[in-house]
Amino acid sequence: LSGHRARLPPRSLPRGHMADTWGTLRPSDSAHRRCTQLDGLWAFIADHKDDGHASGFCSGLPESGRTPIAVPASWNEQLPELDSFLGPAWYERTVWAPLGLTTRQRVCLRFGSVNYSCEVYFNGERAGAHEGGHLPFEVDVTCLLRSSGEPNLLVLRVDGRLEPTHVPPGGGWGAMAPGCFPRASFDFYPFCGVQRSVQLCVRPASGLEGLKVETRLEGLSAGAASAANVVMRCRCGTGVSRVRASLWTQGGVEAGEASDGTVDAETAEARCAVRVLRPTLWAAGAAYLYRLRLEALDADGAPIDSYEQRLGLRTVEASDDGLLLNGEPV
């Protein structure tokens, strides 16, 4: 799951059941997608008085008081004077619009993790916000982009101060030991800042938007299977009529026959299935990964989006005998 929180049951889901929580697709380069890393040195200001909004920081940080800081990494680890500072703080960097951008594409900023809450400003406009430091999130900035010859200004306000309503809770609620800092019910330090990579992602304005994959193994014995049925549900944007799915080995050989799925007009989902005979399973110490390729087709059969990701074929179940990987105890 990506960008969402899901409440998981205490035991494995019934066989054949797929959870209903959708996440965003992981960044991937393809014939229709490009991702640019925005990691590196950003400008940074610790907002000790919490007056950054009133001072207009969202439109750009002042020259006085700013310091360079590495992204991704927490400010507590980089700046000794901020070892116990939980926020808020502000980040800034310049972003250039991708060359050759068309009206059939959209541009999103993807944040792997920001702890804990984050406000995103793009060219002085509030583009979005997110709360929770444990999952990635995306902000669409297509309509805020300047022309390709002008720089764009990206500003973040990050606040890691603890609250009883946060996950996990803090802000005076509980304490692991007398005198510990900060007062919280958990036993780790809540490092603050942009903790994971930031990427500028270009993708079709309408294409593949979400993916769920389920592996069903047949003939399981001693950690091996006679066949694997890889079932994919794809959430699609307008203009996508069919989705074609294929699975490839590490040696570039197609594993099983490619499958086409028609997009349901009511659910905007397409369902595809690829059957692989004598699959190489993902196992502890032997994490074999196939490559999944998805292609979104319009009504004329022309490709309008494509997406790839690595995929391990495995099953994980909880039973009375413990945790089972591919039917075998772990």
Side-chain angles (χ1 to χ4, degrees), residues 141-277:
V141 295
T142 308
C143 62
L144 300 176
L145 276 172
R146 294 170 179 159
S147 64
S148 57
E150 298 181 65
N152 298 273
L153 189 66
L154 171 60
V155 175
L156 310 177
R157 180 185 183 272
V158 180
D159 195 344
R161 289 176 292 184
L162 304 181
E163 297 290 345
T165 55
H166 286 179
V167 180
W173 185 87
M176 292 301 297
C180 68
F181 179 84
R183 287 185 57 83
S185 60
F186 46 85
D187 61 349
F188 58 89
Y189 190 82
F191 291 97
C192 306
V194 183
Q195 309 279 39
R196 296 290 184 269
S197 291
V198 182
Q199 295 165 303
L200 184 74
C201 301
V202 180
R203 61 185 64 133
S206 181
L208 299 165
E209 297 180 353
L211 171 66
K212 298 177 185 178
V213 181
E214 181 187 17
T215 301
R216 302 171 182 173
L217 301 180
E218 297 178 5
L220 263 178
S221 177
S226 60
N229 293 304
V230 186
V231 181
M232 288 142 286
R233 282 170 55 194
C234 305
R235 186 179 60 184
C236 303
T238 57
V240 180
S241 294
R242 289 185 297 125
V243 175
R244 178 171 298 148
S246 59
L247 205 62
W248 300 78
T249 68
Q250 293 180 1
V253 178
E254 189 168 4
E257 186 176 347
S259 169
D260 280 21
T262 302
V263 177
D264 185 282
E266 292 186 5
T267 64
E269 293 181 18
R271 184 183 179 93
C272 307
V274 176
R275 181 175 173 82
V276 181
L277 298 178

Side-chain angles (χ1 to χ4, degrees), residues 16-246:
H17 179 80
M18 301 177 74
D20 290 328
T21 301
W22 288 96
T24 59
L25 295 175
R26 290 180 177 272
S28 171
D29 286 340
S30 72
H32 299 85
R33 294 169 175 253
R34 289 291 183 274
C35 289
T36 302
Q37 293 283 353
L38 300 181
D39 297 347
L41 290 179
W42 293 42
F44 175 87
I45 286 183
D47 192 0
H48 291 282
K49 297 181 179 179
D50 197 6
D51 61 357
H53 281 123
S55 301
F57 286 7
C58 58
S59 297
L61 303 186
E63 291 298 325
S64 61
R66 62 165 60 194
T67 186
I69 197 169
V71 170
S74 69
W75 66 63
N76 310 97
E77 294 180 300
Q78 298 185 68
L79 303 174
E81 67 273 19
L82 299 182
D83 176 63
S84 59
F85 179 67
L86 301 183
W90 295 76
Y91 291 77
E92 177 193 296
R93 71 154 290 158
T94 297
V95 177
W96 292 90
L99 294 174
L101 195 66
T102 72
T103 56
R104 292 177 296 178
Q105 295 173 304
R106 62 189 177 104
V107 179
C108 294
L109 292 166
R110 179 184 172 89
F111 301 85
S113 168
V114 181
N115 195 37
Y116 182 81
S117 63
C118 178
E119 299 172 20
V120 181
Y121 296 90
F122 203 74
N123 293 327
E125 300 290 334
R126 182 182 167 101
H130 182 264
E131 184 174 295
H134 314 295
L135 291 173
F137 63 97
E138 290 186 348
V139 176
D140 194 318
V141 295
T142 308
C143 62
L144 300 176
L145 276 172
R146 294 170 179 159
S147 64
S148 57
E150 298 181 65
N152 298 273
L153 189 66
L154 171 60
V155 175
L156 310 177
R157 180 185 183 272
V158 180
D159 195 344
R161 289 176 292 184
L162 304 181
E163 297 290 345
T165 55
H166 286 179
V167 180
W173 185 87
M176 292 301 297
C180 68
F181 179 84
R183 287 185 57 83
S185 60
F186 46 85
D187 61 349
F188 58 89
Y189 190 82
F191 291 97
C192 306
V194 183
Q195 309 279 39
R196 296 290 184 269
S197 291
V198 182
Q199 295 165 303
L200 184 74
C201 301
V202 180
R203 61 185 64 133
S206 181
L208 299 165
E209 297 180 353
L211 171 66
K212 298 177 185 178
V213 181
E214 181 187 17
T215 301
R216 302 171 182 173
L217 301 180
E218 297 178 5
L220 263 178
S221 177
S226 60
N229 293 304
V230 186
V231 181
M232 288 142 286
R233 282 170 55 194
C234 305
R235 186 179 60 184
C236 303
T238 57
V240 180
S241 294
R242 289 185 297 125
V243 175
R244 178 171 298 148
S246 59

